[in-house]
């Protein structure tokens, strides 16, 4: 087995960090051609291409992303060794990069990631954005998993896997009052304002179908595409809010809000979207195993 050349690994790390041969060569005080040769030698040693050229730029392959993680760990261990011998403590840590759709419940995200919180050997990096933005990062190997409330279509090019993590019932919630009467669904929605998720939401679509079947045009107080904002609106509105109870878990537990009506036929789903990779993140594998 060929021995790993740490000079080659250092050069590779510089190219990956600087984003290209030109900047890395300048940083390392090498010629671009010499750096290219060193990088090619490392790829031959590992038996895997570490970069692919896209639109005149170098993009890490999956093997390249794995190599970069190990390179970071190796050089960090070197720094820790120096620090340890100089009476400075340090410990190697593994990283899980999570993308969370902006409209996903923060309470659900916390519940999913809770087994990793507080583990000294694990570093969590969490990004929020649109599903399209996050899937692009997943494809570019800068994220390990995307959390979403909708699955994604799997095709030959992407090979996404949508792991169903949980499904939650959906309810109408509102403030508790002293002389509160039982909520008469759907008739009370003729006069009670309601805060709804935006039209892009699957639970909104199901709710609209029920209203159409009942012949009721509800009084819409607000439409919100962000679960954190939906939670705040539920606390502020004098009417009711259509929301998965997990979103307002704390408010339901302390009595600030109460369930007025539950929809057994409407479910909010939660998915972990992962790519088809030869080298899966071991922390993620452990986390998903807990959900089976």
């Amino acid at each position: 087995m060929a021995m790993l050349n740490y000079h080659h690994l250092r050069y590779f790390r510089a190219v990956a960090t600087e984003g290209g041969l030109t900047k890395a060569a300048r940083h390392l005080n090498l010629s671009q051609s010499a750096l290219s040769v060193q990088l090619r030698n490392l790829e031959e040693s590992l038996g895997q291409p570490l970069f692919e050229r896209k639109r005149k730029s170098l993009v890490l392959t999956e093997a390249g992303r794995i190599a970069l993680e190990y390179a970071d760990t190796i050089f960090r261990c070197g720094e820790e060794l120096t620090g340890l011998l100089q009476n400075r403590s340090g410990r190697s840590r593994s990283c899980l990069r999570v993308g969370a759709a902006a409209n996903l419940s923060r309470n659900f995200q916390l519940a999913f990631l809770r087994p990793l919180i507080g583990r000294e050997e694990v570093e969590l990096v969490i990004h929020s954005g649109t599903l399209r933005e996050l899937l692009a990062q997943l494809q570019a190997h800068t994220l390990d998993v995307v959390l979403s409330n909708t699955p994604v279509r799997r095709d030959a090019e992407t090979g996404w896997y949508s792991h169903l993590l949980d499904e939650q019932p959906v309810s109408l919630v509102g403030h508790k009052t002293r002389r509160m009467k039982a909520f008469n669904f759907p008739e009370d929605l003729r006069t009670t304002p309601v805060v709804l998720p935006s039209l892009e939401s699957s639970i909104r679509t199901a709710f609209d179908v029920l209203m159409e079947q009942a012949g009721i045009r509800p009084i819409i107080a607000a439409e919100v595409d962000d679960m954190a904002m939906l939670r705040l609106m539920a606390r502020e509105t004098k009417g009711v809010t259509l929301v998965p109870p997990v979103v307002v878990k704390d408010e339901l537990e302390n009595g600030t809000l109460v369930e007025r009506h539950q929809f057994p036929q409407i479910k909010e789903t939660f998915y972990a979207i992962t790519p088809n990779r030869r080298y899966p993140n071991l922390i993620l594998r452990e986390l998903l195993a807990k959900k089976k």
Side-chain angles (χ1 to χ4, degrees):
M1 184 178 67
M3 296 293 291
L4 183 64
N5 187 309
Y6 287 91
H7 287 296
H8 293 168
L9 198 63
R10 174 172 170 257
Y11 297 151
F12 156 71
R13 188 181 184 219
V15 174
T17 303
E18 297 291 340
L21 288 169
T22 303
K23 289 184 179 179
R26 187 182 306 120
H27 176 76
L28 295 167
N29 197 26
L30 290 173
S31 69
Q32 189 169 326
S33 59
L35 182 57
S36 181
V37 169
Q38 302 295 334
L39 185 59
R40 187 162 57 251
N41 288 341
L42 178 62
E43 290 179 322
E44 291 174 355
S45 174
L46 295 175
Q48 297 282 348
L50 302 178
F51 292 98
E52 56 181 334
R53 186 169 293 279
K54 289 186 176 180
R55 297 180 181 177
K56 298 183 179 181
S57 62
L58 293 178
V59 179
L60 284 170
T61 62
E62 182 184 350
R65 182 186 64 83
I66 299 297
L68 180 59
E69 289 182 2
Y70 274 92
D72 287 340
T73 300
I74 288 168
F75 287 107
R76 186 164 58 242
C77 285
E79 294 169 359
E80 289 173 3
L81 174 60
T82 303
L84 180 63
L85 296 179
Q86 295 176 357
N87 297 319
R88 297 197 306 266
S89 63
R91 176 176 289 184
S92 179
R93 308 178 76 198
S94 299
C95 182
L96 179 65
R97 298 172 178 85
V98 180
N103 60 347
L104 192 68
S105 163
R106 304 301 192 265
N107 283 340
F108 172 77
Q109 294 177 44
L110 182 62
F112 176 69
L113 297 172
R114 184 170 282 119
L116 303 180
I117 297 174
R119 285 175 52 173
E120 294 184 2
E121 77 278 15
V122 175
E123 177 184 357
L124 278 174
V125 179
I126 304 172
H127 296 280
S128 180
T130 67
L131 185 57
R132 177 179 294 182
E133 292 169 345
L134 297 175
L135 290 177
Q137 294 178 54
L138 190 65
Q139 191 169 17
H141 309 301
T142 57
L143 290 177
D144 298 302
V145 61
V146 170
L147 302 180
S148 171
N149 48 22
T150 57
V152 296
R153 183 173 61 87
R154 187 168 186 243
D155 55 35
E157 181 180 355
T158 57
W160 308 126
Y161 288 105
S162 296
H163 308 263
L164 179 61
L165 301 175
D166 197 6
E167 53 182 10
Q168 300 265 342
V170 176
S171 300
L172 289 172
V173 302
H175 287 276
K176 184 178 181 178
T177 59
R178 288 185 177 180
R179 298 181 179 180
M180 185 171 59
K181 298 179 181 179
F183 193 83
N184 182 20
F185 177 85
E187 288 301 317
D188 281 356
L189 286 175
R190 295 185 187 275
T191 56
T192 305
V194 59
V195 177
L196 297 172
S198 65
L199 292 171
E200 290 77 18
S201 167
S202 59
I203 63 175
R204 169 64 184 278
T205 301
F207 176 81
D208 287 347
V209 169
L210 289 179
M211 293 295 94
E212 182 70 23
Q213 292 172 346
I216 293 176
R217 180 172 293 180
I219 304 170
I220 300 176
E223 297 178 84
V224 184
D225 65 359
D226 179 87
M227 284 294 172
M229 184 52 126
L230 196 63
R231 176 187 181 186
L232 293 176
M233 291 295 293
R235 289 158 51 177
E236 295 295 328
T237 184
K238 295 181 179 179
V240 292
T241 301
L242 180 71
V243 66
V246 66
V247 175
V248 289
K249 176 178 175 289
D250 294 342
E251 288 78 3
L252 291 174
E253 289 178 351
N254 64 31
T256 303
L257 298 172
V258 294
E259 278 188 297
R260 304 303 312 277
H261 180 79
Q262 188 176 100
F263 298 89
Q265 69 275 55
I266 303 179
K267 302 285 187 180
E268 175 72 303
T269 52
F270 301 94
Y271 290 89
I273 302 166
T274 63
N276 181 16
R277 286 180 178 161
R278 293 177 60 188
Y279 313 103
N281 185 292
L282 297 181
I283 304 172
L284 177 61
R285 178 185 289 178
E286 173 191 334
L287 201 56
L288 292 177
K290 295 179 183 295
K291 289 294 181 179
K292 293 183 179 179

